[in-house]
Amino acid sequence: MYTITRRSEHLPPGERTALVEGEPYGAGVSFFWTDAAPGEGPPRHHHPYAETWVVLAGTASATADEETFDFAAGDIVTVLPGTVHRFEATGTDRLHMLCIHPSPRVVEEEVDG
């Protein structure tokens, strides 16, 4: 058995980043299909599992706990469980990446500041 859906089915109104949670499809993995303009990115947060980013296009800067680093198309970044992190698209092009969560639902807790 299989399921085919389209990215557009997972986009909130007016948004460019899609959230695909695996649970409705019997999958143990979820992901954000990120499409971010320079300066855009999520607030600081953490997960109880590792998160892996597959960078398809663009550049970004991230902070994991207190360490800041840059990454670009072709890079694969893994953030360990419990690490407070965020990223922000940089440069002049849009950031396209898959943010993979090894969970049927995304489990995320935002951190103030």
Side-chain angles (χ1 to χ4, degrees):
M1 188 71 159
Y2 63 91
T3 302
I4 297 175
T5 62
R6 301 218 175 260
R7 182 177 186 274
S8 60
E9 296 174 44
H10 301 278
L11 285 170
E15 296 290 327
R16 294 181 64 133
T17 291
L19 170 58
V20 180
E21 291 190 299
E23 188 173 69
Y25 309 103
V29 65
S30 301
F31 62 92
F32 287 96
W33 189 333
T34 301
D35 178 351
E40 293 180 344
R44 290 173 7 110
H45 63 279
H46 61 86
H47 313 281
Y49 46 73
E51 179 181 6
T52 301
W53 305 333
V54 179
V55 188
L56 305 172
T59 60
S61 180
T63 302
D65 285 335
E66 300 304 319
E67 186 176 342
T68 300
F69 58 95
D70 297 321
F71 56 95
D75 291 342
I76 299 167
V77 180
T78 300
V79 179
L80 296 179
T83 301
V84 175
H85 62 281
R86 76 172 306 274
F87 64 83
E88 183 175 298
T90 59
T92 58
D93 298 325
R94 296 189 74 84
L95 174 65
H96 296 273
M97 71 179 184
L98 298 176
C99 303
I100 303 168
H101 296 243
S103 172
R105 290 263 180 214
V106 171
V107 180
E108 181 171 289
E109 183 177 336
E110 287 189 19
V111 177
D112 294 331

